C-alpha cells in the first residue's frame, strides 16, 4: 500500500492516534528509555567491516553448492548478474539510509514508502533471512571443525550450540565492543583468503572448471553442463557471495554521522566483496575441479589438499564463518529490536539491558536458528535465507522508486547514480531470484512462504492496532505528516 499524501491523525484516545490506517499508541518516555541503543559506536570503516563480515562466510562455503545446479559456467553467469543486482541495490540503499537513518534499515525505508503493511512485510522478510542465515553458517562451521578433528567432535550439534551461546553472550556486552571484535575477526578472515589465493593459484588449471559431466538438458555444454535452466537454479547460491550486505543500515542508530558513514560503508564493503568472491570462485574449482567442489562443506580447504596451507586456511576459515555468524546475529537482533520497539512484534523483544543491547531480540531468533541448524542441511537453509532476502530486495527497491516519485524533495545527502533505472534493474533481478528459490527446493521455499503469510496474518489481526507512535520509524511518518500539513 503506497503511503497517501495526507494521512488521518485524529485522536482516538488520550494516548492513541489513528494514522495510515492503523492505531498507534503514544508511549511514555520510560518506554523508549528501556529501548535505546548506544549511538556513535561506529564510523564508516567499522561499518564497511560490518558489511564485509556479514558476507565473508559466503566466500568460505555455500556458494560452491551452486556448481551442482549450473556447473561453473552457469554459476559464473548467475554470479555476474547477481553482482550487478547487489551493486545497484546497495546504491539505492545508500540513498535511502542517508535520508532515513534508523535501526530498522530496509523496514524503515519501506515504512516511509509503502505504509505500515509494506514496512512490516519488508521487516519480516529481512528477519526470515537473518534468522535462518546463521543456522546455515553454523552447519558450515561444524564441517570446518570436524575436518580439523577438533576435540574429537563428530556430531555438529555441539558446535552449533557452542557458537550460538558464545556469540549471543558477546553481543549482550554491547554494540561498540561487539563491532570492534567483529572487525578483528573479519580482518583475520580476509588474510585467510589472501593465503588461499597465494597457494591455490599455483594449482590452477582451466580444464578443471569444466569437469562436470554434460547432461541432456536444453543448451547443455561443457561450460553449462545443466543447460540454460541451470543458470537460473544457480542464482540462490550466487547470492551467497553477497547475502546480508544490506544489513549495514541496521547500524544507523549506532553510527556517527549515519547520513554520511552508512552510504560510504556499504559501498566500500560491496567493492571488497566483489574482489574476494571472484577470487575464490575462480581459484577453488580451478585447483581441484568443479565436480569436487560441488558438494564440499569446506571447499577452500579441499582445494588446497592436505598440506600446511590447507590446515592454516581451515583454521582461518573458521574465522570467516564466525565473522558472518557473529555479524548477522547483530543484524537479526537490530531488525527484531526495531520491529518490536515500533509495536509490530511483541514489545518485550526490544527491551535493552544496562549495556544497551536488546536481550530477547538476541536470544529468541537465536533459539529458532539453533533449532533449524539441527537439520544439518546447509544448502537447504541457504535457500530458505535467500527466499527472505529476495522478498526484502523486491520491497526495498520498490520503496526507492516510490520515494523518488512521491517525495522528490526529501533530503538526500547521497543520491543513487542512475536513479530509479538503477534500482529498477535490481528489482527485476530480485524477482527472478525469488522464483529461483522454488526451482532449487520447492518445499523449503514454500515453507518460508507459509511462515511469511502467518506473520502477515498476525499483523493484520493483532499488532497493526498496537503500533508505537514515538518509535524512530513512526516518528519519520509524523514528521512527514507535519511537513505535508504545513505545505
Amino acid at each position: 500500500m503506497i503511503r497517501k499524501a495526507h494521512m488521518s491523525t485524529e485522536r482516538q484516545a488520550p494516548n492513541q492516534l489513528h494514522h495510515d490506517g492503523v492505531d498507534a499508541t503514544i508511549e511514555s518516555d520510560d518506554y523508549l528509555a528501556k529501548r535505546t541503543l548506544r549511538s556513535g559506536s561506529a564510523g564508516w570503516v567499522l561499518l564497511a567491516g560490518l558489511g564485509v563480515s556479514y558476507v565473508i562466510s559466503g566466500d568460505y562455503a555455500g556458494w560452491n553448492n551452486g556448481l551442482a545446479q549450473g556447473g561453473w559456467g552457469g554459476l559464473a553467469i548467475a554470479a555476474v548478474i547477481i553482482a550487478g543486482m547487489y551493486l545497484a541495490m546497495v546504491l539505492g540503499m545508500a540513498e535511502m539510509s542517508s535520508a532515513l537513518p534508523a535501526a530498522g534499515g530496509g523496514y524503515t525505508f519501506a515504512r516511509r514508502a509503502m505504509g505500515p503493511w509494506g514496512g512490516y512485510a519488508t521487516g519480516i522478510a529481512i528477519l526470515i533471512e537473518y534468522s535462518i542465515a546463521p543456522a546455515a553458517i553454523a552447519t558450515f562451521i561444524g564441517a570446518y571443525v570436524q575436518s580439523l578433528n577438533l576435540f574429537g567432535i563428530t556430531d555438529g550439534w555441539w558446535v552449533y550450540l557452542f557458537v550460538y551461546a558464545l556469540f549471543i553472550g558477546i553481543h549482550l556486552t554491547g554494540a561498540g565492543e561487539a563491532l570492534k571484535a567483529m572487525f578483528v575477526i573479519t580482518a583475520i578472515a580476509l588474510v585467510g583468503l589472501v593465503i588461499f589465493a597465494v597457494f591455490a593459484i599455483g594449482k590452477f588449471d582451466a580444464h578443471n572448471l569444466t569437469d562436470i559431466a554434460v547432461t541432456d538438458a536444453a543448451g547443455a555444454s561443457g561450460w553449462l553442463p545443466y543447460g540454460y535452466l541451470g543458470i537460473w537454479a544457480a542464482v540462490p547460491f550466487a547470492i551467497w557471495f553477497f547475502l546480508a550486505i544490506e544489513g549495514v543500515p541496521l547500524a544507523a542508530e549506532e553510527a556517527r554521522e549515519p547520513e554520511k558513514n552508512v552510504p560510504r560503508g556499504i559501498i566500500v564493503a560491496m567493492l571488497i566483496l566483489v574482489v574476494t568472491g571472484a577470487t575464490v570462485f575462480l581459484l577453488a574449482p580451478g585447483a581441484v575441479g568443479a565436480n569436487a567442489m560441488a558438494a564440499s562443506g569446506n571447499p577452500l580447504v579441499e582445494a588446497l589438499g592436505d598440506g600446511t596451507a590447507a590446515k592454516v586456511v581451515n583454521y582461518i576459515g573458521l574465522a570467516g564463518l564466525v565473522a558472518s555468524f557473529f555479524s548477522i546475529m547483530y543484524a537479526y537482533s537490530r531488525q527484531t529490536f526495531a520491529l518490536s520497539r515500533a509495536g509490530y512484534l511483541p514489545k518485550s523483544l526490544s527491551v535493552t539491558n544496562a549495556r544497551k543491547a536488546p536481550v530477547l531480540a538476541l536470544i529468541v531468533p537465536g533459539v529458532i536458528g539453533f533449532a533449524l541448524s539441527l537439520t544439518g542441511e546447509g544448502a537447504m537453509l541457504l535457500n530458505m535465507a535467500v527466499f527472505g532476502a529476495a522478498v526484502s530486495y523486491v520491497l526495498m527497491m520498490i520503496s526507492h522508486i516510490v520515494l523518488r516519485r512521491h517525495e522528490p524533495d526529501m533530503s538526500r545527502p547521497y543520491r543513487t547514480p542512475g536513479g530509479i533505472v538503477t534500482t529498477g534493474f535490481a528489482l527485476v533481478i530480485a524477482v527472478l531470484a525469488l522464483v529461483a528459490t522454488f526451482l532449487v527446493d520447492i518445499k523449503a521455499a514454500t515453507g518460508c512462504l507459509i511462515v511469511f503469510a502467518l506473520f502477515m496474518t498476525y499483523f493484520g489481526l493483532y499488532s497493526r492496532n498496537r503500533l508505537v507512535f514515538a518509535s524512530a520509524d513512526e516518528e519519520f511518518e509524523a514528521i512527514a505528516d507535519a511537513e505535508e500539513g504545513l505545505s
Side-chain angles (χ1 to χ4, degrees):
M1 180 180 71
I2 306 302
R3 189 176 62 84
K4 295 180 176 61
H6 298 280
M7 295 178 292
S8 172
T9 57
E10 67 270 14
R11 291 278 182 171
Q12 303 298 303
N15 66 334
Q16 288 188 325
L17 56 80
H18 183 83
H19 72 110
D20 230 5
V22 299
D23 290 326
T25 301
I26 303 174
E27 295 285 358
S28 65
D29 292 340
D30 183 60
Y31 175 88
L32 292 179
K34 295 177 180 178
R35 293 163 172 83
T36 303
L37 300 173
R38 181 180 295 172
S39 62
S41 300
W44 75 266
V45 175
L46 270 182
L47 291 172
L50 178 63
V52 173
S53 69
Y54 280 145
V55 184
I56 200 166
S57 66
D59 290 334
Y60 279 94
W63 62 268
N64 53 298
N65 296 121
L67 296 169
Q69 300 291 331
W72 193 86
L75 183 56
I77 295 172
V80 170
I81 294 171
I82 290 303
M85 180 198 78
Y86 269 95
L87 182 58
M89 185 179 74
V90 300
L91 291 174
M93 292 192 70
E95 176 181 305
M96 292 188 289
S97 64
S98 73
L100 301 166
Y107 138 68
T108 301
F109 312 150
R111 171 67 182 90
R112 178 66 173 260
M114 298 184 287
W117 281 94
Y120 179 76
T122 305
I124 291 302
I126 295 171
L127 194 55
I128 289 173
E129 172 194 357
Y130 289 162
S131 296
I132 298 177
I137 296 169
T139 67
F140 301 139
I141 291 174
Y144 269 70
V145 168
Q146 291 178 55
S147 69
L148 287 168
N149 295 315
L150 291 178
F151 314 114
I153 292 175
T154 57
D155 192 340
W157 79 269
W158 286 98
V159 179
Y160 311 157
L161 178 61
F162 175 77
V163 294
Y164 267 104
L166 174 65
F167 294 116
I168 286 175
I170 292 175
H171 274 295
L172 289 174
T173 65
E177 293 77 5
L179 288 174
K180 290 171 186 174
M182 170 278 304
F183 191 81
V184 173
I185 296 170
T186 302
I188 293 171
L190 287 171
V191 170
L193 293 179
V194 173
I195 294 172
F196 163 77
V198 169
F199 284 92
I201 198 167
K203 298 164 64 74
F204 180 82
D205 184 342
H207 292 94
N208 288 335
L209 302 177
T210 57
D211 68 345
I212 294 177
V214 179
T215 67
D216 59 357
S221 66
W223 287 102
L224 298 174
Y226 301 103
Y228 301 130
L229 192 61
I231 299 172
W232 201 358
V235 163
F237 302 96
I239 285 177
W240 198 245
F241 280 120
F242 307 103
L243 183 87
I245 190 174
E246 72 279 3
V248 173
L250 292 171
E253 287 186 35
E254 293 159 286
R256 296 189 300 273
E257 296 184 281
E259 69 281 356
K260 297 179 181 178
N261 287 323
V262 173
R264 186 181 301 174
I266 195 171
I267 292 171
V268 170
M270 181 65 197
L271 296 177
I272 293 172
L273 291 165
V274 168
V275 174
T276 60
T279 299
V280 300
F281 176 62
L282 181 66
L283 294 181
V288 295
N291 192 50
M293 292 287 94
S296 174
N298 51 351
L300 303 196
V301 175
E302 292 189 11
L304 295 181
D306 298 322
T308 302
K311 184 158 288 189
V312 170
V313 170
N314 200 343
Y315 278 105
I316 295 180
L318 281 173
L321 294 167
V322 164
S324 289
F325 183 90
F326 186 74
S327 55
I328 296 177
M329 186 174 284
Y330 171 88
Y332 79 54
S333 69
R334 269 45 181 184
Q335 187 67 75
T336 304
F337 167 84
L339 289 170
S340 168
R341 182 179 62 179
Y344 292 91
L345 293 178
K347 296 172 185 176
S348 59
L349 293 174
S350 55
V351 176
T352 53
N353 62 14
R355 306 286 294 183
K356 300 302 181 184
V359 179
L360 291 180
L362 280 161
I363 294 174
V364 173
V367 171
I368 294 170
F370 170 68
L372 289 171
S373 72
L374 295 177
T375 64
E377 298 291 336
M380 178 193 74
L381 294 169
L382 184 157
N383 192 59
M384 293 168 68
V386 170
F387 170 90
V391 172
S392 72
Y393 300 165
V394 169
L395 294 171
M396 285 190 288
M397 294 305 94
I398 291 174
S399 299
H400 180 270
I401 294 168
V402 169
L403 288 173
R404 272 294 187 97
R405 289 189 174 276
H406 290 261
E407 299 193 50
D409 297 326
M410 176 189 290
S411 175
R412 293 172 168 86
Y414 174 87
R415 296 181 71 86
T416 304
I420 64 173
V421 173
T422 299
T423 48
F425 165 77
L427 171 61
V428 171
I429 303 302
V431 170
L432 295 175
L434 177 60
V435 176
T437 63
F438 289 88
L439 292 177
V440 173
D441 190 337
I442 191 170
K443 290 183 179 179
T446 301
C448 287
L449 181 61
I450 292 171
V451 170
F452 182 77
L454 290 174
F455 270 107
M456 296 305 295
T457 301
Y458 167 81
F459 179 68
L461 297 179
Y462 182 78
S463 67
R464 74 185 184 92
N465 294 318
R466 290 167 174 80
L467 302 187
V468 178
F469 180 70
S471 67
D473 311 286
E474 298 305 307
E475 280 195 303
F476 278 132
E477 287 303 298
I479 293 169
D481 292 344
E483 290 173 347
E484 289 166 357
L486 290 173
S487 63

